[in-house]
Amino acid sequence: MERTSKLSGFYKLPVEERLKKIAQFADLNKEETEAISKTGSLPIETANNMIENVIGTYELPVGVACNFLVNNKDYLIPMVTEEPSVIAASSNSAKLIRESGGFVTNSTRPVMIGQIQFSGIKNIAHSRQIILENKKDLLDYANEQDILVRFGGGAKELEIRVVPTQNFGELLVVHLLVDCCDAMGANAVNTMCEAVSGKIKGLLKEGTVGFRIISNLATERIVRSRATIKKDLLGSDTIDRILTGYEFAFNDPYRAATHNKGIMNGISAATLACGNDTRAIEAGAHSWAGITGKYLPLTKYEKDQDGNLCLSIELPLALGIIGGATRVHPIARANLKITGAKTATELAELFASLGLAQNFAALKAIATDGIQKGHMKLHARNIAMSVGAKNEDQINKIVAQMIEEKKISMDRAKEIFEELK
Ligand code: MEV
């Protein structure tokens, strides 16, 4: 049989038939095929309705970050990640931070921006005036497209931008500002943009409607969290080392990228656990980090007059507690319940605090023992398991010996495993 990736009608097949075809194509053995088809708590029927061409489900560990005290309220944060050390690190930071009073947060309203782009408009200034003169009608029309108004949200404002291009002259771009309440908002915003674009086109009588889509640079949906860690809990030397590391990130994009990756280790894991769109969150965070034209860290560190360490974070977080996978994925629903967040904004403030804790843990570790000390033990466990060690006793022995020898590798783990057998 010809081996081709052109599988016409693949999407129409039942899940089992699809998997059979893929197993054939990729020469999957029985064990591999069963690993894909075995389901946990996400029913295959639900999975099949969530995305296209489903052949199975994929499990990752759900862990819980502990010790979070945010605005004097206790929280636990479920996280889904493949990376060892992440959850232990944020839990440790949160413990230290709660000893100094916990996190304090604030945020803007959960406003997303929808973009409606026009090209070929000759008189940009005149067109701008016409759109603004009709603002109320346009906002009303946008709000007819969705139920957000019923919850106190909806399209609230309309702004005009002019974007110069290399080959297509100036683009006129209308920004529709939509308060999305407890939804992430992409569907509502995109629907509104598509509807309103036609109305604007009718008003302008020139130009072409182009892109109509939400922006993930959610500059109107900003979340902030801060904490102070008492000098005595860290020591002045460690504080100075952390501050040096922060300034390193502030002045070097190579370091800033890793600094921000550490923040997103926390935020993306919690976002995934709660069935939200990790890519939207990442796009928003990184574009915000670069908004001044220089890629900067998402957190800030400084000392107060008493020498305590003040840390803070500010970033856009477009999270929802209703709609999408939060509704259909049973684990996402349960995880949201674990957070105890009653609004999307409360969830975002919690996740910003998590990002801050995650970042502080990384800076503290790198500034003192180095990141590998804590990381290596868990890494060694993964290696021990991947060479076939199954019971705790075997795993612990392989890990202990590799750490003592300072030689953590698959080859060494295999040798020790063989010796144990
Ligand atoms: C590893 O996943 C994340 C860190 O590299 C973050 C950082 O360097 O700040 C530890």
Side-chain angles (χ1 to χ4, degrees):
M1 203 175 71
E2 192 204 357
R3 193 170 171 280
T4 173
S5 63
K6 189 166 177 288
L7 302 175
S8 60
F10 183 69
Y11 72 99
K12 292 188 209 152
L13 295 176
V15 175
E16 314 80 64
E17 293 299 316
R18 283 189 208 132
L19 181 54
K20 253 190 223 159
K21 275 199 185 292
I22 300 302
Q24 232 166 28
F25 180 91
D27 204 16
L28 299 182
N29 61 31
K30 190 163 173 281
E31 205 185 346
E32 289 157 341
T33 312
E34 278 173 8
I36 295 179
S37 66
K38 210 187 277 171
T39 49
S41 29
L42 178 64
I44 196 69
E45 301 74 28
T46 311
N48 199 26
N49 281 313
M50 284 173 76
I51 61 164
E52 308 72 41
N53 292 357
V54 168
I55 58 168
T57 56
Y58 182 107
E59 279 182 324
L60 278 173
V62 184
V64 175
C66 306
N67 308 320
F68 277 80
L69 185 70
V70 182
N71 303 325
N72 285 321
K73 183 173 163 188
D74 267 282
Y75 290 95
L76 295 171
I77 312 178
M79 296 168 74
V80 170
T81 181
E82 86 302 340
E83 186 170 333
S85 301
V86 165
I87 297 177
S90 49
S91 299
N92 285 338
S93 295
K95 194 166 166 199
L96 202 66
I97 288 170
R98 76 182 285 135
E99 282 176 42
S100 303
F103 300 88
V104 181
T105 65
N106 74 86
S107 41
T108 64
R109 286 287 310 161
V111 172
M112 296 301 289
I113 299 168
Q115 296 194 292
I116 308 167
Q117 168 251 314
F118 295 87
S119 36
I121 295 190
K122 292 185 196 84
N123 194 339
I124 294 256
H126 181 74
S127 302
R128 178 176 175 275
Q129 294 289 349
I130 291 179
I131 296 169
L132 292 175
E133 279 159 22
N134 287 277
K135 182 160 98 178
K136 184 170 179 319
D137 286 351
L138 292 169
L139 291 178
D140 287 347
Y141 189 64
N143 283 326
E144 282 169 26
Q145 315 302 318
D146 198 273
I147 53 167
L148 279 170
V149 180
R150 272 195 240 154
F151 301 96
K156 300 282 184 195
E157 191 51 84
L158 193 149
E159 292 169 354
I160 315 281
R161 292 173 64 241
V162 178
V163 177
T165 68
Q166 283 72 27
N167 297 309
F168 296 97
E170 287 183 323
L171 305 178
L172 186 147
V173 181
V174 179
H175 275 192
L176 193 62
L177 274 55
V178 183
D179 186 333
C180 296
C181 301
D182 284 329
M184 184 276 183
N187 278 332
V189 171
N190 292 340
T191 306
M192 287 180 182
C193 286
E194 287 184 10
V196 169
S197 64
K199 282 260 175 219
I200 300 176
K201 170 94 179 85
L203 290 170
L204 298 183
K205 300 189 178 67
E206 65 161 341
T208 317
V209 180
F211 279 39
R212 301 157 298 169
I213 194 85
I214 197 165
S215 168
N216 289 117
L217 176 51
T219 51
E220 304 294 318
R221 197 171 190 168
I222 299 295
V223 189
R224 305 176 193 94
S225 178
R226 68 172 173 86
T228 302
I229 303 181
K230 297 211 182 84
K231 186 170 77 181
D232 300 347
L233 293 173
L234 289 172
S236 317
D237 187 46
T238 300
I239 291 181
D240 282 342
R241 283 166 158 275
I242 291 173
L243 289 171
T244 314
Y246 165 65
E247 290 203 25
F248 177 18
F250 193 89
N251 291 292
D252 178 16
Y254 287 91
R255 173 59 206 150
T258 321
H259 179 106
N260 289 343
K261 189 271 182 184
I263 294 170
M264 301 316 286
N265 272 347
I267 296 178
S268 293
T271 299
L272 185 58
C274 292
N276 270 250
D277 182 342
T278 51
R279 290 80 55 213
I281 294 299
E282 293 274 351
H286 294 293
S287 51
W288 174 253
I291 198 157
T292 60
K294 176 178 167 188
Y295 186 85
L296 294 172
L298 293 162
T299 51
K300 283 196 166 57
Y301 286 76
E302 55 202 3
K303 261 195 282 199
D304 69 11
Q305 61 276 25
D306 300 320
N308 303 313
L309 183 66
C310 303
L311 47 154
S312 59
I313 186 167
E314 183 178 55
L315 81 170
L317 280 181
L319 292 163
I321 59 165
I322 53 168
T326 63
R327 190 166 37 91
V328 293
H329 197 299
I331 307 180
R333 268 209 315 267
N335 284 343
L336 268 172
K337 197 167 173 188
I338 295 174
T339 68
K342 298 282 179 286
T343 63
T345 299
E346 186 181 354
L347 190 73
E349 292 182 0
L350 180 61
F351 287 8
S353 306
L354 172 65
L356 185 58
Q358 206 71 62
N359 179 237
F360 169 70
L363 296 203
K364 180 169 165 277
I366 303 169
T368 54
D369 294 336
I371 204 77
Q372 289 306 77
K373 193 175 168 198
H375 199 74
M376 272 315 186
K377 199 162 171 196
L378 285 160
H379 180 53
R381 273 189 78 80
N382 279 346
I383 289 188
M385 287 190 288
S386 69
V387 299
K390 287 205 169 62
N391 69 51
E392 273 302 303
D393 192 42
Q394 276 177 342
I395 297 170
N396 288 341
K397 281 190 177 135
I398 297 171
V399 169
Q401 192 161 339
M402 287 198 296
I403 287 179
E404 195 190 308
E405 293 170 2
K406 293 195 171 59
K407 202 168 173 195
I408 298 170
S409 71
M410 288 284 262
D411 286 346
R412 187 60 193 130
K414 257 186 221 152
E415 284 167 10
I416 306 170
F417 186 40
E418 287 307 316
E419 283 161 22
L420 286 175
K421 282 203 284 192

